[in-house]
Amino acid sequence: MNAVARGPIWAPWTPFTASTVPPDKLAAVGKDTSFGRAAQPAELAGAYVLLASSDASYMTGSVTAVTGRRPML
């Protein structure tokens, strides 16, 4: 199985976001990332498209991190 480990996504219209983040804290979602903001859904699309394509046919056990954080070294 392959997976995408995603960070905070700016999608306030989703039921998950609306039910888990108080309205007064929505503006701060993603401020703790290296980029200082939450990702836009389109910024993750490439990772999902790759894993769904034949280009990933030889990938297995892969976790693609799209977290907005610098990699741990």
Side-chain angles (χ1 to χ4, degrees), residues 14-59:
T14 65
F16 177 76
T17 303
S19 66
T20 59
V21 179
D24 60 324
K25 296 191 180 197
L26 271 179
V29 170
K31 294 285 185 195
D32 62 340
T33 68
S34 297
F35 291 102
R37 63 174 179 82
Q40 295 294 315
E43 293 175 301
L44 281 84
Y48 289 104
V49 170
L50 168 65
L51 293 178
S53 75
S54 61
D55 291 337
S57 65
Y58 203 68
M59 294 172 67

Side-chain angles (χ1 to χ4, degrees), residues 3 10 56 70:
W10 183 248
R70 291 185 178 95

